[in-house]
Amino acid sequence: MTSSSSPSQDAKRLAHAYPEGLRADALMEEDVAWSYEIDGDRDGDQFDRSERAALRRVVGLSTELEDVTEVEYRQLRLERVVLVGVWTTGTAQDADNSLAELAALAETAGALVLDGVIQRRDKPDAATYIGSGKAAELRDIVIETGADTVICDGELSPGQLIQLEDVVKVKVIDRTALILDIFAQHAKSREGKAQVALAQMQYMLPRLRGWGQSLSRQMGGGRGGLATRGPGETKIETDRRRIREKMAKMRREIADMKTGREIKRQERRRNKVPSVAIAGYTNAGKSSLLNRLTGAGVLVENALFATLDPTVRRAETPSGRLYTLADTVGFVRHLPHHLVEAFRSTMEEVGDSDLILHVVDGSHPNPEEQLAAVREVIRDVGATDVPEIVVVNKADAADPLVLQRLLRVEKRSIAVSARTGQGIEKLLGLIDNELPRPSVEIEALVPYTHGKLVARAHTEGEVISEEHTAEGTLLKVRVHEELAADLAPYVPVSAA
């Protein structure tokens, strides 16, 4: 980690103390050795204060390629971006991790990350997010790197967006707009596209801008008579009204799609089929786990938000009980509330499930943060009462100490690897134990002419034992009350 700041008295002293070749190295060193000639008369408190306020360059974020032909090819299709974050709470490592995640999001959206800087502040500046002085320094970095976009690691107000753009002279977007762009690229189903479009319009509505006097207003009145001539509805107001109309139409369409999803859920409830929802941080391996458990063939890619549309597949426990397994949209820190609202009907799969498999990336530097971010969204959709199993995925690539820490802290947890199959059999057994069991245990001798009841016992209940006799099929099963009532006429007298 290095600091970047404007020339000062310290730099002048370094210039005298070091030859030309060593001076740059000394300036770029993370911890410059203390010496009396350079640091003897420095006020330590002021140095600490200036260091905290400086823009700190985060190393290792650049994705610029070395090969000339590849660079030329990528420059044709990729935006060149500089990342900027404001560190208000937590440690410096937390701030770096947040900016590293922003870099991964930018790459997923199709951008070329050139540089990243962090500003230490008590709270973001109300005008330019990082303050006017640091915004000018950011402008110098943009010119130096040749970037055409600045991405801020936070949600900017419309005023911050405009004023920061005025200083840096290139396009400025925030974390929310970046995530919305990724969702727009990856949405495939009609419902997913509608949800993303609604979230984008909600985000866009307060950020519309006018483009000069020619579009600033429409004249009112016309032939309306005296005292009716004058400024009418402005162009920006017209745009806002149209967006609100589109949003209302989009909400009606999503509500209609929600009805179809609810009918499917009611059918599963009617048939007493337990449901398991896979939830977790984006790129934690949810789709890989779904494929490993059910052979679903869902797209698997090492990218953030590679799959958005929920996938529901039929699965079977080792004891033969049927259940459904639903792969939900991935979560991320500071998931925009527009998306949470727009995807609420999709996330209801989590709230309506009987069990949540909370998948976390065991190879991530800070998996506890992932757990906290996902649980926050689960709380928002009202699924806090659903039982949860923490599935620590990518155990083959994880640090053993991290795995031990997670398994010790999370009481209902298991380490697996969806890639190698490690721990999958144990996970299936854990799902079998955790799924709600039918409440009534019954023994019935079902005639062979009523084979449909036997089939229902297998699909809707839990068969403990089954024996074929001369009179029919002798079943000992655990079933729900409705099926128990249908089997009651065939309970042997001795058992009754």
Side-chain angles (χ1 to χ4, degrees):
M1 197 79 54
T2 58
S3 298
S4 62
S5 59
S6 57
S8 63
Q9 295 296 328
D10 301 332
K12 293 178 181 177
R13 283 195 293 272
L14 283 172
H16 292 297
Y18 288 89
E20 183 67 29
L22 297 178
R23 188 164 65 244
D25 294 337
L27 286 170
M28 294 304 292
E29 282 291 331
E30 182 171 357
D31 295 311
V32 179
W34 189 93
S35 67
Y36 181 80
E37 293 81 2
I38 300 174
D39 301 295
D41 58 346
R42 173 179 289 153
D43 186 335
D45 291 339
Q46 290 184 2
F47 174 74
D48 290 343
R49 192 159 57 244
S50 63
E51 184 183 52
R52 287 197 302 270
L55 284 178
R56 298 185 305 105
R57 197 171 250 114
V58 180
V59 298
L61 291 181
S62 176
T63 57
E64 193 167 17
L65 299 179
E66 297 296 332
D67 183 76
V68 175
T69 57
E70 287 187 294
V71 170
E72 289 176 348
Y73 170 70
R74 291 185 65 175
Q75 282 179 340
L76 293 175
R77 64 186 181 93
L78 299 185
E79 289 190 63
R80 302 166 62 85
V81 303
V82 170
L83 312 179
V84 57
V86 172
W87 167 26
T88 56
T89 58
T91 65
Q93 186 61 45
D94 294 336
D96 291 349
N97 289 342
S98 181
L99 207 65
E101 182 178 90
L102 186 68
L105 288 168
E107 289 180 45
T108 303
L112 180 66
V113 179
L114 301 178
D115 207 345
V117 293
I118 292 176
Q119 163 72 3
R120 181 69 170 98
R121 299 179 65 93
D122 293 333
K123 61 181 180 180
D125 182 68
T128 60
Y129 184 66
I130 56 175
S132 57
K134 295 300 180 263
E137 290 184 36
L138 180 60
R139 169 61 180 163
D140 295 337
I141 295 174
V142 168
I143 294 174
E144 178 187 347
T145 57
D148 49 36
T149 304
V150 170
I151 304 179
C152 297
D153 191 17
E155 184 165 340
L156 272 61
S157 67
Q160 287 173 323
L161 206 63
I162 294 171
Q163 294 191 55
L164 188 57
E165 275 191 358
D166 287 342
V167 177
V168 299
K169 306 301 182 186
V170 295
K171 180 173 69 175
V172 176
I173 63 173
D174 57 15
R175 184 188 184 94
T176 301
L178 180 62
I179 294 176
L180 288 171
D181 183 75
I182 295 172
F183 271 58
Q185 291 181 41
H186 292 179
K188 296 293 184 290
S189 69
R190 179 168 169 258
E191 183 177 11
K193 290 177 180 178
Q195 289 167 329
V196 172
L198 176 60
Q200 284 180 318
M201 285 187 285
Q202 286 176 317
Y203 174 80
M204 187 192 311
L205 188 60
R207 292 170 173 82
L208 291 178
R209 307 183 196 179
W211 291 96
Q213 186 68 24
S214 61
L215 297 178
S216 65
R217 63 180 54 179
Q218 299 171 345
M219 292 303 294
R223 298 185 180 181
L226 296 175
T228 59
R229 299 178 181 85
E233 188 176 37
T234 62
K235 178 66 167 63
I236 200 167
E237 288 169 349
T238 305
D239 293 340
R240 284 177 180 152
R241 177 166 49 80
R242 287 174 178 169
I243 287 179
R244 289 191 188 98
E245 291 171 355
K246 288 182 180 179
M247 288 170 59
K249 179 182 178 183
M250 202 70 69
R251 287 193 180 98
R252 288 194 296 270
E253 291 180 359
I254 293 174
D256 293 340
M257 299 175 200
K258 179 182 177 181
T259 302
R261 188 180 295 278
E262 183 60 33
I263 290 173
K264 293 177 183 177
R265 290 199 198 107
Q266 289 175 357
E267 184 70 16
R268 293 199 293 267
R269 292 192 202 105
R270 188 177 67 82
N271 292 326
K272 302 297 188 295
V273 179
S275 62
V276 178
I278 302 178
Y281 215 76
T282 179
N283 207 30
K286 299 184 299 301
S287 298
S288 299
L289 185 64
L290 178 70
N291 290 344
R292 173 65 69 170
L293 292 175
T294 66
V298 177
L299 170 69
V300 173
E301 188 177 347
N302 184 21
L304 305 185
F305 301 113
T307 51
L308 295 182
D309 303 316
T311 304
V312 181
R313 290 291 184 269
R314 172 176 166 170
E316 188 174 328
T317 65
S319 63
R321 300 171 62 198
L322 294 178
Y323 65 96
T324 60
L325 199 60
D327 179 20
T328 60
V329 64
F331 304 143
V332 74
R333 275 181 299 184
H334 313 303
L335 190 67
H337 64 277
H338 308 299
L339 278 175
V340 175
E341 287 299 320
F343 277 78
R344 185 167 293 275
S345 63
T346 301
M347 293 176 181
E348 284 173 357
E349 293 285 353
V350 178
D352 289 344
S353 63
D354 297 299
L355 179 66
I356 297 175
L357 298 184
H358 185 165
V359 184
V360 60
D361 183 358
S363 64
H364 191 270
N366 197 343
E368 287 86 357
E369 279 192 8
Q370 292 192 351
L371 286 167
V374 174
R375 281 171 176 158
E376 183 180 348
V377 180
I378 289 176
R379 186 168 57 251
D380 289 343
V381 297
T384 52
D385 296 332
V386 182
E388 175 193 71
I389 297 176
V390 175
V391 181
V392 186
N393 194 22
K394 306 182 184 179
D396 55 322
D399 184 345
L401 295 178
V402 174
L403 284 181
Q404 291 176 14
R405 186 178 74 236
L406 286 173
L407 296 177
R408 183 177 64 252
V409 173
E410 300 293 337
K411 302 304 180 185
R412 292 153 58 90
S413 59
I414 183 174
V416 305
S417 172
R419 187 176 66 86
T420 65
Q422 172 189 341
I424 296 297
E425 292 298 325
K426 188 176 178 181
L427 175 61
L428 287 170
L430 195 57
I431 293 173
D432 198 357
N433 294 332
E434 294 291 338
L435 281 177
R437 296 182 176 276
S439 56
V440 181
E441 186 172 319
I442 190 171
E443 185 174 338
L445 182 61
V446 183
Y448 291 121
T449 54
H450 292 73
K452 187 177 292 186
L453 282 176
V454 177
R456 284 183 62 192
H458 278 278
T459 56
E460 300 176 23
E462 182 179 354
V463 177
I464 300 172
S465 65
E466 182 178 15
E467 182 183 350
H468 298 288
T469 67
E471 293 81 12
T473 305
L474 181 62
L475 286 175
K476 186 176 182 181
V477 293
R478 191 178 286 113
V479 294
H480 52 82
E481 294 179 358
E482 182 182 342
L483 183 54
D486 293 339
L487 289 171
Y490 307 106
V491 175
V493 177
S494 58

